Amino acid sequence: MIELSEALTILATSPVAKDREAIARLEKVAQADINRIVGELENQSTLAENGLFNSLQERRKLTARIIVSAGLMCSGFSCLVTIWFRPSLAIIVTPVGFITGAAASSFVSANEARRKNLG
């Protein structure tokens, strides 16, 4: 599939009279020549790609923070419960709680992403 800017360039240089008329109407409505319209389309495409890329990076950072915070919360909770009942096992249980919380949060995030993609 060819890009819109390339298609407009092809139409602008086409020997077919209807293509040239369509480009002339487009230039009249946009109040700009075809080269300027194509340039603006390319600039907007670049801006949209950058915005999408930045948005994805921010979403990934947020997801990582949520997973780590869930792991820390489960780790702290399991450590407190273990200290209450069996203080000698607290050091062993703390990393297990962190891994469990992070894995559970990661699993929930993956399921939400799947639902978004399917629905």
Side-chain angles (χ1 to χ4, degrees), residues 46-106:
T46 302
L47 288 174
E49 287 173 6
N50 286 340
L52 180 63
F53 182 70
N54 290 339
S55 175
L56 288 174
Q57 282 183 334
E58 292 300 319
R59 184 150 179 90
R60 287 182 183 140
K61 286 180 185 176
L62 179 63
T63 302
R65 288 178 187 153
I66 289 171
I67 290 171
V68 169
S69 64
L72 290 173
M73 185 182 70
C74 285
S75 174
F77 180 72
S78 61
C79 184
L80 286 174
V81 170
T82 305
I83 287 173
W84 189 273
F85 293 110
R86 289 205 138 168
S88 62
L89 296 176
I91 293 177
I92 297 169
V93 170
T94 302
V96 172
F98 178 80
I99 292 169
T100 303
S105 180
S106 178

Side-chain angles (χ1 to χ4, degrees), residues 15-55:
V16 179
K18 294 287 185 185
D19 292 345
R20 290 191 310 263
E21 289 174 14
I23 292 296
R25 285 194 309 266
L26 180 64
E27 290 175 334
K28 183 179 177 182
V29 170
Q31 296 177 348
D33 68 338
I34 193 66
N35 293 326
R36 184 172 173 206
I37 294 170
V38 169
E40 287 180 15
L41 284 173
E42 289 173 355
N43 289 341
Q44 290 174 358
S45 173
T46 302
L47 288 174
E49 287 173 6
N50 286 340
L52 180 63
F53 182 70
N54 290 339
S55 175

